Amino acid sequence: MTGGLSTLTHYLGRHWSRDQLAYLASLDAPLTGPRGLRRWLGQQDAGAFVKLYFPDEFVLDFAPVHRRFLADIDDIRTRAVSGQRGVKLARAIPRGHAKSTFYSRIMPLHGLSYGWSPLTVLLGNTQTAAERLNKNIKETALASPAWCEDFPEIAGGASWGSDRIDYAGRTIVAFGVGNGAIRGVSNPVRPRLIIGDDLDDDQLVRSQVQLDAAVEWLNKSVLQLGDNVRFTSSFVFVGTVIRRTSIMGHLLARPDFDRLVEAGVKRFADRQDLWAEWEAWFLERARDGAQPTDAEADEFYQAHKAEMLEGTQVLWDRPDAYYYLMVYRLAAGKAAFQSEIQNAPDEAGGALGRPAYIRRADLPPPGELERLAALDPTEKGGARNDLAAYVEVLFHPRTRRLFVDYVDSQRRSYKDTIAAIVKRLKVHRAAGVYLDGFWVEENAAGGIQADLLNERLGAAGVHTVPTKFYSSRPKAEKIEALAEYTDRGQLFVVEDVAAQLATEWEAWPHGRNDDTLDAVGTVVMQLKDQGRLDLVAPTGPWAIG
């Protein structure tokens, strides 16, 4: 039988005594099919449901955190079947730890299979994301021969739509954040189960307007969906805390929710000195295009593995889990690691450390470099105004290294700023030097100044067109990225550039000005967003996404 006789016997032994099992055997009770023991057992025990119907996906033993997930599913099912009051759960679980698998695939499929949730509502960050959750349920079910054998009436009789699944009075329906059609949804009963999966994204948490609207939708539309008479509906929200001011942050702060916040790394390695050596070694290999493909191929790690793993403790202790988490931190950066893996985004900030300097004589040959520029504009040049910061950064594509080559940050009017940039680019033109990219953020002043600058450059015979862009990315995120790339040996400051950059760098985040840092951060993030900057690719369980 598909699903494993030994697994079936193991889980039957949890629920029945040896004498009861012997009695069933004497009756020649069927093991599989619509009236089989496997189907009955899967109803009683979510762990059995997982192991019996999807053995190829769940090959490892359940980690403690997964047993917690399964306990939540069993508790919600028991409450639904007995008509007890439902629960409200907020589960902040690290990326790559199967939270969506258990809560957004297994749980709604279990409710559909056994009918304890006549109406399940799936919520995603967008309508597309919500429909993907719905599709995952369909594909999980229909790809399992054991499930199709035991639930032929659903496998062959359900309507498997893009945004809903319907079978004999049981429905799963998907909505994206902000979808007004969710109000009053029923079939005709109120939803028994509402599941929100990764409702936050970077754009939403950066915009207070969007976040406020999403939270209002959550409070007024989603949390009012349930049974408001007997309160038998259960609400489950899973995700990571990508920012404290977020939908997940809002849910974790609500006293009516049962809250769980887990970190992927429970305890870091004792030998941080070895990990620092490994990081330098790994980055050098990545820079040469020879990043180890996995833990087995990592010569440094294999040579020092026992010492490097001393004292470590992870949430999901699978093979080389700590190693792959450290690769992810190196690839995604400390800020992303703190939010996506540790669920502690506020712990990633702080001072930038010291900039890394390089002599002009030690720069790569000019022919191998791209010259990129950014302007952080200001409207006025008064003593209380921001600086107008223009920077030029050299980029070496082969090694993915950046060199801050020129800084001009002063309090002056936008007309004087434009005149200074035109003058510099005319000097470049006379020397046969041209910009390979030039970005101006389109804030209140930036768009107008970019247009005026373009006109002046054209009139001066300099054919460089500034690229206007709008960014909702917080300034702190751009600036703190400079420390990340400095630590990785990818960002350097040429020794003879204007001292304003060093002044702002050393004073961050408490200095009077940060405009030069912001301009350099613009170049860095533009390259990062283009996929041209990061050296390291995540491997192992965190390789996708």
Side-chain angles (χ1 to χ4, degrees):
M1 58 170 275
T2 306
L5 182 59
S6 62
T7 304
L8 179 62
T9 303
H10 168 74
Y11 280 100
L12 281 172
R14 287 186 172 187
H15 297 273
W16 284 339
S17 68
R18 189 183 298 272
D19 289 342
Q20 288 173 317
L21 290 175
Y23 177 70
L24 283 174
S26 70
L27 295 177
D28 199 24
L31 298 180
T32 63
R35 299 178 63 83
L37 288 175
R38 183 171 60 187
R39 175 163 169 164
W40 177 89
L41 187 57
Q43 181 177 15
Q44 312 307 313
D45 191 318
F49 182 76
V50 165
K51 288 289 191 178
L52 290 169
Y53 290 116
F54 315 105
D56 294 339
E57 182 174 0
F58 295 89
V59 295
L60 300 175
D61 291 338
F62 294 131
V65 69
H66 299 143
R67 291 196 290 271
R68 177 66 181 267
F69 299 167
L70 292 168
D72 284 341
I73 296 172
D74 281 332
D75 180 51
I76 290 170
R77 179 197 65 82
T78 299
R79 290 170 179 273
V81 170
S82 61
Q84 296 179 50
R85 189 183 187 94
V87 296
K88 293 180 179 179
L89 308 180
R91 300 291 187 248
I93 308 298
R95 174 181 177 174
H97 282 70
K99 58 184 179 292
S100 295
T101 297
F102 282 92
Y103 287 111
S104 301
R105 275 203 287 144
I106 296 303
M107 184 161 59
L109 179 57
H110 196 277
L112 176 73
S113 300
Y114 296 105
W116 57 262
S117 179
L119 175 57
T120 297
V121 174
L122 290 176
L123 306 175
N125 171 253
T126 63
Q127 186 63 32
T128 299
E131 291 178 9
R132 189 181 306 119
L133 296 173
N134 193 64
K135 180 181 179 183
N136 290 342
I137 295 169
K138 170 188 174 181
E139 292 179 347
T140 296
L142 299 184
S144 168
W147 187 87
C148 291
E149 179 184 5
D150 288 3
F151 298 91
E153 72 282 11
I154 304 177
S159 172
W160 304 90
S162 61
D163 65 343
R164 63 189 295 129
I165 300 169
D166 287 293
Y167 171 73
R170 307 173 196 173
T171 299
I172 298 174
V173 61
F175 295 96
V177 168
N179 191 328
I182 198 171
R183 290 178 179 271
V185 64
S186 63
N187 77 333
V189 298
R190 288 276 191 159
R192 187 66 52 83
L193 180 61
I194 297 96
I195 303 168
D197 189 312
D198 277 330
L199 300 185
D200 292 305
D201 66 12
D202 290 337
Q203 182 175 348
L204 186 147
V205 300
R206 288 174 189 156
S207 169
Q208 192 61 49
V209 173
Q210 290 186 44
L211 179 59
D212 289 345
V215 169
E216 183 178 17
W217 171 80
L218 178 77
N219 291 336
K220 293 184 177 180
S221 298
V222 176
L223 295 179
Q224 303 305 316
L225 280 178
D227 172 7
N228 292 318
V229 178
R230 295 185 300 152
F231 303 100
T232 56
S233 301
S234 287
F235 297 82
V236 181
F237 295 90
V238 297
T240 54
V241 187
I242 62 175
R243 195 172 293 274
R244 295 294 179 189
T245 51
S246 59
I247 294 177
M248 181 55 73
H250 169 75
L251 290 165
L252 291 170
R254 287 182 61 120
D256 56 334
F257 270 77
D258 179 83
R259 294 154 284 179
L260 176 66
V261 180
E262 293 281 14
V265 177
K266 311 295 281 185
R267 182 179 172 185
F268 286 90
D270 294 338
R271 294 293 307 273
Q272 289 299 309
D273 58 326
L274 271 179
W275 281 101
E277 288 183 43
W278 167 82
E279 183 174 314
W281 175 87
F282 196 100
L283 286 171
E284 191 60 37
R285 296 295 300 273
R287 194 171 289 115
D288 293 337
Q291 174 184 330
T293 54
D294 55 28
E296 291 296 324
D298 191 313
E299 300 165 9
F300 188 101
Y301 175 66
Q302 292 300 325
H304 305 281
K305 183 173 180 178
E307 295 170 279
M308 293 175 74
L309 295 181
E310 285 180 9
T312 62
Q313 184 181 356
V314 296
L315 182 62
W316 185 359
D317 192 15
R318 45 194 155 167
D320 296 304
Y322 188 87
Y323 167 84
Y324 288 115
L325 284 164
M326 294 303 99
V327 174
Y328 178 83
R329 184 171 70 170
L330 203 55
K334 294 177 183 177
F337 179 84
Q338 285 300 130
S339 59
E340 298 281 356
I341 303 300
Q342 296 299 89
N343 280 308
D346 291 346
E347 296 178 19
L352 301 180
R354 294 183 60 81
Y357 290 98
I358 187 171
R359 297 186 307 164
R360 191 167 293 280
D362 294 330
L363 290 172
E368 297 180 8
L369 296 167
E370 295 179 15
R371 183 172 293 272
L372 308 170
L375 171 64
D376 184 37
T378 185
E379 294 184 60
K380 301 177 181 179
R384 295 186 178 182
N385 291 100
D386 292 338
L387 302 179
Y390 172 79
V391 302
E392 292 179 9
V393 181
L394 303 175
F395 176 57
H396 192 232
R398 184 177 63 80
T399 61
R400 303 192 185 194
R401 283 176 167 161
L402 292 157
F403 309 92
V404 183
D405 179 64
Y406 178 78
V407 168
D408 182 10
S409 300
Q410 299 183 42
R411 285 187 177 84
R412 56 191 174 195
S413 69
Y414 71 87
K415 292 182 180 179
D416 290 339
T417 298
I418 291 173
I421 295 173
V422 171
K423 180 179 179 180
R424 176 160 178 86
L425 296 188
K426 286 174 67 176
V427 172
H428 276 334
R429 183 193 61 183
V433 175
Y434 299 92
L435 296 181
D436 297 288
F438 184 8
W439 294 281
V440 180
E441 188 165 355
E442 194 170 8
N443 55 23
I448 297 172
Q449 290 188 39
D451 292 338
L452 292 173
L453 181 57
N454 188 36
E455 292 178 10
R456 289 288 307 278
L457 289 171
V462 178
H463 301 294
T464 296
V465 179
T467 300
K468 296 183 290 185
F469 74 99
Y470 173 78
S471 174
S472 60
R473 180 179 276 125
K475 180 183 290 189
E477 184 177 329
K478 287 199 292 183
I479 292 175
E480 287 171 4
L482 305 185
E484 293 277 358
Y485 287 102
T486 300
D487 287 345
R488 298 180 194 180
Q490 288 181 259
L491 178 62
F492 300 85
V493 179
V494 179
E495 285 183 336
D496 58 10
V497 302
Q500 180 61 34
L501 177 60
T503 299
E504 294 182 17
W505 190 295
E506 293 168 6
W508 171 263
H510 305 297
R512 181 180 178 184
N513 298 108
D514 53 26
D515 310 284
T516 312
L517 294 173
D518 196 12
V520 175
T522 291
V523 176
V524 169
M525 299 312 290
Q526 287 291 330
L527 289 172
K528 178 179 176 64
D529 291 346
Q530 293 171 15
R532 304 184 65 199
L533 192 55
D534 289 331
L535 286 168
V536 178
T539 57
W542 293 272
I544 300 174

